Amino acid sequence: MGALRNNQPRAVTEGKVRQLVRELLAAGQTAFPSERELAARTGGSRSVIREILEAMEQKQQLLRTANGRSLNPEANRIPVLFVAGGRNMIDNPAWARLWLALVNRMKGTPLAPELFLLRYWPEEIAEDLQTLAQNRARYLILCIDRDLEPLIRQWRVEKRNILFPDEGLLHYGLPVISIDNTRVGELAAQQLFEHGFRTPALLTPDFTDHWYSPYQKRIAGFTRECARLGLDFQPERDCYRVYYGKGRLQSCIRETTKIADQTRYDSLFLTTDDLLLLVLEVLNDQQRYTPGSFGLITLNSQNNALSGNARVNAISSATNELAALITDRIQAHADGLIDQLPTIAITPTIHEGETLCIRQKS
């Protein structure tokens, strides 16, 4: 009787071999099993495994030695370039948190994250763009598009894999993995309603030089859900805007004071926590924010801003989930398991517990 034929699909065998490569590299090991050992460990046929190993040798991912084959860590390394504005990493720590989450998530994988911060002054930007143009990373995570349009066009021609973690950049038609900003607004309205608040105000950044869709989506979701739940909210009357630019702190104080002066408001949806501490200070000065009497909900992008504010409820910006999804999808694409990077909107969740909670209205 002849030997039984192995019918395991090649893609399955190849996936198991790549998983083994990741495990060995994560453990700092370079010695690679023989064809016979791989067949036993993966369940694949010797002939398929031989083809996979030969392909890896052609890419120099595997090297032949006197003792068999060994992994070449550098050739198995997949650079992932994370591009953000230097000032944005300070002004918006959400990107700093995402970078750190990606670094932690990519540990133990062939993915090698690299950070590039675009500077501010024109002569610095010109120099940075030249440096970026020479970078050969296969995958690029872009947190900004300012000044990058020519490079984005070049990278698309070169068939680089570009991913945005921000719905504000959907207009490029490139993959976007981010939180569902419409759902953020809906959850904010639901939380206020469930805790007994009925007349909310909304405070949001307003950029004078461009239209930023994530904030608009949060406002739209909040408005629609308020109407469905019967909350007394009219965007043309109850939406206050902080102008981001010169004098934004003064603008925040002025708009928050307006909200505090309106005794009809029993709660506030802050579409971003960038200015949370300043908003809390103004509300406290106006004696509007006391436990149980005034509800405040925001999107949690800065854990440090919310630390110690047990009266504040927050909608998770899902940084760790976002980093996990981006890592898994890039790895799947690098392994040939998916043809292109996807566009995905992550459903945010509610933070509740010691640090983040909302008090029932008394």
Side-chain angles (χ1 to χ4, degrees):
M1 182 181 294
L4 292 175
R5 184 178 179 181
N6 188 306
N7 292 319
Q8 179 170 278
R10 178 192 173 98
V12 174
T13 303
E14 196 163 5
K16 291 179 179 180
V17 172
R18 284 179 174 146
Q19 179 60 36
L20 176 61
V21 169
R22 288 195 287 272
E23 292 172 357
L24 291 173
L25 290 174
Q29 300 176 16
T30 57
F32 205 65
S34 66
E35 290 178 10
R36 178 178 296 178
E37 291 176 283
L38 284 172
R41 293 177 68 163
T42 66
S45 70
R46 292 277 298 274
S47 60
V48 168
I49 286 174
R50 188 174 302 114
E51 291 173 1
I52 293 171
L53 298 185
E54 287 173 355
M56 292 177 68
E57 287 176 0
Q58 289 176 2
K59 297 176 183 177
Q60 295 189 320
Q61 294 171 331
L62 275 181
L63 303 175
R64 284 191 177 271
T65 67
N67 297 319
R69 293 182 175 94
S70 66
L71 286 171
N72 180 355
E74 188 60 30
N76 282 282
R77 179 178 176 272
I78 304 173
V80 179
L81 189 64
F82 185 93
V83 182
R87 290 186 64 173
N88 287 352
M89 292 281 274
I90 298 172
D91 293 342
N92 185 0
W95 298 135
R97 290 183 60 217
L98 178 58
W99 161 250
L100 292 174
L102 284 168
V103 169
N104 289 329
R105 184 70 185 188
M106 291 181 180
K107 285 179 181 176
T109 78
L111 303 181
E114 302 173 4
L115 177 64
F116 190 96
L117 296 179
L118 198 66
R119 291 174 290 176
Y120 181 74
W121 300 110
E123 60 274 14
E124 294 175 331
I125 291 174
E127 183 180 323
D128 288 345
L129 293 178
Q130 289 182 358
T131 303
L132 271 177
Q134 296 168 6
N135 190 289
R136 307 313 300 168
R138 182 177 167 190
Y139 295 93
L140 301 112
I141 301 172
L142 305 183
C143 300
I144 57 171
D145 62 347
R146 178 179 58 83
D147 301 310
L148 293 181
E149 290 87 346
L151 273 179
I152 291 173
R153 289 195 295 270
Q154 174 186 323
W155 289 331
R156 296 184 76 170
V157 170
E158 296 172 353
K159 300 190 183 304
R160 306 279 197 97
N161 300 286
I162 303 172
L163 179 67
F164 294 115
D166 186 348
E167 275 192 315
L169 304 172
L170 267 170
H171 58 277
Y172 282 98
L174 291 165
V176 174
I177 298 181
S178 71
I179 61 169
D180 185 337
N181 284 285
T182 301
R183 187 63 182 146
V184 168
E186 293 172 349
L187 283 172
Q190 291 170 15
Q191 281 291 293
L192 292 177
F193 178 80
E194 289 172 8
H195 289 83
F197 299 100
R198 295 294 181 267
T199 55
L202 182 149
L203 185 63
T204 189
D206 191 2
F207 297 92
T208 55
D209 60 343
H210 68 284
W211 184 78
Y212 188 58
S213 63
Y215 293 145
Q216 305 304 321
K217 289 184 176 183
R218 292 171 204 172
I219 294 169
F222 186 76
T223 302
R224 184 168 57 248
E225 194 66 6
C226 282
R228 187 184 74 83
L229 296 171
L231 300 185
D232 185 8
F233 176 80
Q234 299 176 26
E236 64 280 1
R237 179 193 66 193
D238 303 317
C239 185
Y240 295 80
R241 300 181 183 275
V242 175
Y243 290 97
Y244 266 43
K246 187 176 180 180
R248 72 170 178 170
L249 296 181
Q250 292 84 349
S251 177
C252 179
I253 293 171
R254 182 171 58 252
E255 296 305 306
T256 307
T257 300
K258 289 179 183 177
I259 294 170
D261 288 343
Q262 293 287 331
T263 57
R264 65 180 300 275
Y265 294 130
D266 65 3
S267 52
L268 172 65
F269 172 37
L270 184 59
T271 62
T272 175
D273 64 358
D274 286 353
L275 298 171
L276 174 62
L277 293 180
L278 182 56
V279 169
L280 282 172
E281 184 176 344
V282 173
L283 291 175
N284 283 326
D285 285 346
Q286 299 293 322
Q287 298 183 339
R288 290 286 285 123
Y289 195 63
T290 56
S293 65
F294 192 85
L296 176 61
I297 188 163
T298 187
L299 180 72
N300 176 29
S301 62
Q302 305 179 57
N303 278 337
N304 62 328
L306 294 167
S307 176
N309 289 301
R311 298 186 300 262
V312 178
N313 194 23
I315 298 165
S316 169
S317 58
T319 300
N320 291 330
E321 295 92 334
L322 186 60
L325 193 55
I326 289 174
T327 300
D328 293 348
R329 292 302 183 270
I330 289 178
Q331 186 67 70
H333 184 270
D335 287 347
L337 302 178
I338 57 177
D339 294 330
Q340 59 186 19
L341 296 174
T343 290
I344 302 174
I346 299 175
T347 300
T349 56
I350 301 295
H351 275 306
E352 292 187 272
E354 276 185 28
T355 307
L356 305 171
C357 64
I358 199 166
R359 306 293 180 95
Q360 189 72 30
K361 188 180 179 186
S362 55

